[in-house]
Amino acid sequence: SDGTASTRIYELIEPTIRQYAMKIYEIRSILRKRETIIMFKGKGNNDRLLDFFILNQGDGRFLQYTRLRGIAQCDMKENDLERCDFLHSFLPCPIFSQRFVEKMSSILKDVVTFYPIDIYCGDKSKMFFIAKINNYIDLINHEKSEALKLENRNDLFMIPIVANENLGNFLIARDTKEVVFWGISEELKDIIIREKFKMKICEMQQ
C-alpha cells in the first residue's frame, strides 16, 4: 500500500534527515547526587544576577565591587569540586571550572564573558567562573515547541524543544524569547569531548 511504501521510504532517508538536522545540546554535571546545586550568597544577588546574566539588563557594575560567592548544596563533597568542570546553579547560568576557562576562553571570547566565583563546599573553597552568554539567537522553533507542549500537556516532566532548522554557525547561545534556555552546538560539543572536560553532554529533548 501507499502507506507502507511511504514508511519504507522514510526509513531509508531518515538517517540522512537526522544527519543534517540542526541539533542543540545541553551541558549537565557529572554528579549523580540530587542536592548539588550552587546557591548564590549575598542579599539581592539572585535578582542582580538574573538581570545581568540572563535578561541582559544593566552594566554589571556591581561585579567590580563584589566577589561572587556560591554555596554548594549538602550532597556535594569537597572532592567533587576538584573533579567537575561544570556545575549547575540555582539560576540558569552555567558555572565552569578554571581549567575549562583557560582552554576555552579564546574560542568563546566573542560570545561569552567569564566572571570568577568562589564556590564553597564544607571547609573548602575553589574558584570557578560563571558565564555570561552574550549570544542571543532564535534557538527554538517556538511554534512547533508549543504544539508539542500541547500534545504532551498531561506529561508534566516533558518539556519539548524543537530546534530552529536554520541556526547557522554558533557555539553557545541563549534563545531570544525564552532567555532562560541556553544550549550549545554540535561543534562545541565535539570540542568538549575532544578536550575530555568532566561534564555530561545531552541532546535536547525533541
Side-chain angles (χ1 to χ4, degrees):
S1 68
D2 289 343
T4 304
S6 298
T7 301
R8 291 180 63 195
I9 291 169
Y10 181 79
E11 287 172 351
L12 288 171
I13 67 171
E14 193 261 349
T16 304
I17 293 172
R18 287 188 60 80
Q19 180 181 350
Y20 290 102
M22 178 61 75
K23 295 178 182 178
I24 304 174
Y25 297 86
E26 62 177 317
I27 303 176
R28 295 180 186 173
S29 169
I30 59 171
L31 301 177
R32 296 183 177 181
K33 297 172 284 189
R34 186 181 296 272
E35 302 285 333
T36 56
I37 300 293
I38 303 303
M39 312 299 286
F40 297 110
K41 191 171 182 179
K43 187 177 180 181
N45 261 353
N46 283 336
D47 288 335
R48 291 195 295 185
L49 293 172
L50 174 67
D51 288 343
F52 182 64
F53 281 90
I54 299 171
L55 301 179
N56 203 25
Q57 297 175 357
D59 55 12
R61 189 175 299 174
F62 70 96
L63 293 168
Q64 297 175 19
Y65 313 104
T66 304
R67 177 73 174 213
L68 295 176
R69 301 174 73 186
I71 309 296
Q73 284 185 316
C74 59
D75 283 347
M76 189 176 289
K77 305 304 178 189
E78 292 179 5
N79 66 323
D80 290 331
L81 293 181
E82 300 297 331
R83 66 190 190 95
C84 289
D85 286 316
F86 174 83
L87 300 173
H88 289 290
S89 71
F90 173 70
L91 297 173
C93 299
I95 297 177
F96 294 104
S97 68
Q98 186 168 355
R99 186 172 83 95
F100 179 90
V101 172
E102 286 173 352
K103 288 196 172 186
M104 298 298 296
S105 58
S106 60
I107 295 171
L108 298 173
K109 67 180 187 300
D110 293 330
V111 289
V112 176
T113 308
F114 294 102
Y115 294 88
I117 178 170
D118 294 320
I119 304 296
Y120 289 81
C121 181
D123 297 326
K124 187 175 181 180
S125 71
K126 187 174 176 65
M127 186 173 71
F128 279 73
F129 290 82
I130 184 169
K132 183 180 190 298
I133 301 169
N134 302 312
N135 191 24
Y136 289 76
I137 64 176
D138 293 327
L139 280 178
I140 303 172
N141 185 318
H142 295 283
E143 190 176 334
K144 289 183 179 179
S145 296
E146 198 61 38
L148 273 180
K149 202 179 293 182
L150 291 172
E151 285 180 23
N152 295 278
R153 59 181 176 271
N154 293 325
D155 187 350
L156 297 176
F157 300 99
M158 173 64 177
I159 305 173
I161 296 296
V162 179
N164 262 331
E165 294 174 3
N166 301 310
L167 283 172
N169 293 326
F170 82 103
L171 291 171
I172 185 170
R174 287 192 182 278
D175 185 67
T176 50
K177 184 178 178 183
E178 301 288 346
V179 291
V180 296
F181 173 81
W182 63 276
I184 68 170
S185 66
E186 191 137 16
E187 182 182 355
L188 184 53
K189 179 209 73 169
D190 291 343
I191 295 172
I192 288 170
I193 292 171
R194 187 178 69 237
E195 294 290 341
K196 297 181 179 178
F197 289 119
K198 295 170 184 175
M199 55 185 71
K200 189 177 177 183
I201 308 292
C202 301
E203 186 176 347
M204 288 290 180
Q205 294 176 348
Q206 296 199 40

